[in-house]
Amino acid sequence: MDRILIRGGNPLNGTIHISGAKNAALPLLATCLLSEQPLVLSNLPHLADISTMAHLLSELGVDISMDGGAGNGGNIGRVFRLDAGPVNSTTAPYDLVRKMRASVLVLGPLLARFGKARVSLPGGCAIGTRPVDLHIKALQQMGAEIELDEGYIEASAPDGLKGAHIVFPMVTVGGTENLLMAATLADGETVLANAAREPEVTDLANCLVAMGAEIDGIGTDTLRIQGMKTLHGAEYSVVPDRIETGTYAVAAAVCGGELTLLDTRLELIDSVAEVLRNAGVEIVEVDGGIRVRRSDDGLKGIDVMTEPYPGFPTDMQAQLMVLMAVAEGASMITETIFENRYMHVPELSRMGANVNVHGASAIVRGRSSLHGAEVMATDLRASVSLVLAGLAADGETTINRVYHLDRGYERLGEKLSACGADIKRLKD
Ligand code: UD1
């Protein structure tokens, strides 16, 4: 298994092009299933999760052609042409779903267009139990008959899905996306209340509108969808990755130097930018992106709670913890989205971070001088926090199990070493 070797302590200076958002790209890929006509998606990041979703779609019969490399600036945003005209299967097998939970996003579109779907239950994952009960209940409200059989969700709606008034009891990004897709082909109006407002949900809604869907309330917590008989083909470009943007902003803060992050937008990271500014990071808007540096007064501790958008994202929690570990003073993080999202803490502690977890909160006592160590990646965002810690630490850090990083960060080593980081991938 590949490893990453980092010699820490170098400041980062230069420009990084931000890729298209993985979490927007995954539902957008599933969207092709809603139409017989081709969907052309551009600015797709080159990541393992995207290949997994493409693999799943082609197993279902989607004809995918790739038109790679048409870059924006330094990026290699990929272009996929997805033709779901020839779909001949409605089964998403365990082998693919277990690799990536987001595979469950084919459930809504398959059921809406074909009246049936058989999708493996995703099972647990490193950051908690993560059930899909809310997706299932909401589809049942739209008239779907759903049974769980030998680890599979067996869903059918022989007469099609019916519009419904759905109130999500808690905010779910994937649940909102699955139902939003399903509702575009339902009979009548569907209202999704307490819907997720994440920019990736908005991106999905905008793409559906480009395909002919009628959706009101985009960007709010109440989405109103008028079902259509069919949707047509469209061309759509994936929104920039706000988590990648935030991650490199933290990198500039903990390493020193100055990074310009292009092909992204400040408004996508509002809550992250506010937290970083309060912690002593300077962020200014520039043409095509943002510029980030640590302020001359240095970094200081700050309390943060993760929340659904527009709050501080859980996907930035581990990275922020690294910043807190090297900042002046104490900080407290409270994780409200996932019950087991502190897997990075023991690894960061091995590198000298002073962190104590009490239930959903973590107290970080700052100004640790981090030192290199051999550490192990556990999930995607935990892994990148170890990279950030390695870049800021004295000495050498080796990170094992880097396949997690390949799921969500396009050309991470290349992007960082072009800005002065000493980071290498060791092939096994
Ligand atoms: C998405 C993101 C993930 C991010 C998360 C929260 C993708 C591919 N992944 O995951 O990176 O960390 O949003 O912003 O976009 N829940 C239930 N029942 C359900 C569905 C969810 O109890 O049916 C719970 C989950 O266990 C979790 C919370 O709701 O505690 C939020 O999960 P959700 O927003 O659905 O996350 P994902 O869509 O899986």
Side-chain angles (χ1 to χ4, degrees):
M1 244 178 266
D2 289 4
R3 286 168 299 153
I4 283 180
L5 178 69
I6 299 173
R7 283 191 194 87
N10 292 0
L12 299 179
N13 284 294
T15 298
I16 292 180
H17 289 269
I18 300 300
S19 302
K22 168 181 86 77
N23 285 355
L26 294 171
L28 288 172
L29 287 164
T31 300
C32 78
L33 293 167
L34 288 165
S35 174
E36 279 185 355
Q37 294 178 10
L39 175 65
V40 178
L41 293 176
S42 54
N43 200 32
L44 284 165
H46 184 19
L47 297 169
D49 274 9
I50 301 301
S51 309
T52 304
M53 184 58 102
H55 186 174
L56 170 57
L57 293 173
S58 52
E59 291 275 303
L60 298 173
V62 177
D63 191 12
I64 305 179
S65 49
M66 196 173 71
D67 187 5
N72 53 355
N75 248 354
I76 314 172
R78 291 193 158 188
V79 183
F80 279 7
R81 182 177 183 279
L82 304 124
D83 181 356
V87 166
N88 52 14
S89 161
T90 50
T91 297
Y94 175 66
D95 255 10
L96 288 170
V97 180
R98 85 183 154 80
K99 277 195 192 166
M100 186 184 69
R101 278 181 52 80
S103 309
V104 81
L105 291 170
V106 300
L107 175 63
L110 284 176
L111 191 55
R113 182 161 149 225
F114 301 100
K116 60 178 181 163
R118 186 167 180 266
V119 176
S120 170
L121 278 165
C125 73
I127 60 174
T129 48
R130 297 181 82 179
V132 287
D133 56 318
L134 301 177
H135 305 226
I136 293 174
K137 277 191 197 122
L139 287 169
Q140 284 170 329
Q141 277 183 265
M142 297 187 73
E145 282 171 23
I146 300 186
E147 279 175 27
L148 300 183
D149 183 39
E150 295 184 356
Y152 276 80
I153 304 167
E154 303 267 3
S156 69
D159 303 323
L161 294 171
K162 313 262 175 297
H165 190 109
I166 292 160
V167 183
F168 287 107
M170 66 196 283
V171 177
T172 159
V173 175
T176 303
E177 291 166 345
N178 234 337
L179 271 290
L180 178 57
M181 290 187 277
T184 58
L185 291 184
D187 181 19
E189 182 182 89
T190 300
V191 177
L192 302 179
N194 197 25
R197 287 180 281 168
E198 269 65 4
E200 295 76 22
V201 176
T202 297
D203 211 36
L204 171 64
N206 287 335
C207 177
L208 290 167
V209 168
M211 294 169 76
E214 233 179 81
I215 306 172
D216 280 340
I218 296 176
T220 75
D221 66 358
T222 307
L223 297 166
R224 198 174 284 275
I225 305 115
Q226 309 301 330
M228 316 292 271
K229 288 259 178 295
T230 56
L231 295 184
H232 53 70
E235 291 188 11
Y236 196 79
S237 174
V238 180
V239 70
D241 196 317
R242 64 195 169 101
I243 305 299
E244 191 192 21
T245 306
T247 301
Y248 289 125
V250 172
V254 296
C255 295
E258 184 175 279
L259 288 182
T260 303
L261 308 178
L262 294 182
D263 307 322
T264 188
R265 301 198 297 272
L266 182 59
E267 106 239 359
L268 292 172
I269 59 154
D270 265 355
S271 61
V272 172
E274 193 192 329
V275 165
L276 292 180
R277 282 175 174 143
N278 289 336
V281 183
E282 286 175 9
I283 302 180
V284 292
E285 217 166 350
V286 295
D287 199 17
I290 60 174
R291 195 163 51 228
V292 189
R293 64 187 286 274
R294 177 162 78 206
S295 80
D296 295 336
D297 296 338
L299 301 173
K300 47 187 177 296
I302 180 170
D303 294 347
V304 173
M305 187 182 281
T306 64
E307 283 172 311
Y309 190 85
F312 189 88
T314 173
D315 286 353
M316 279 297 300
Q317 183 254 102
Q319 299 89 313
L320 189 73
M321 190 178 280
V322 177
L323 184 147
M324 291 169 160
V326 299
E328 177 84 53
S331 312
M332 184 165 83
I333 297 182
T334 305
E335 171 61 58
T336 72
I337 310 289
F338 293 111
E339 77 266 30
N340 184 22
R341 209 169 193 181
Y342 287 125
M343 308 278 279
H344 43 288
V345 170
E347 302 301 308
L348 290 176
S349 301
R350 300 188 65 242
M351 299 179 71
N354 185 346
V355 186
N356 277 302
V357 176
H358 301 274
S361 295
I363 311 287
V364 187
R365 293 192 174 81
R367 265 297 148 86
S368 349
S369 63
L370 298 178
H371 47 76
E374 184 161 356
V375 288
M376 192 178 72
T378 48
D379 73 58
L380 172 57
R381 309 303 170 185
S383 313
V384 88
S385 77
L386 300 177
V387 172
L388 296 176
L391 294 171
D394 289 333
E396 222 173 76
T397 296
T398 309
I399 303 172
N400 296 299
R401 298 200 186 167
V402 297
Y403 55 84
H404 290 292
L405 287 168
D406 299 336
R407 293 188 48 200
Y409 286 90
E410 183 175 357
R411 295 181 296 119
L412 174 90
E414 231 177 276
K415 289 186 183 189
L416 285 168
S417 49
C419 297
D422 187 344
I423 176 167
K424 270 204 284 285
R425 191 167 177 129
L426 304 176
K427 300 259 173 210
D428 261 6

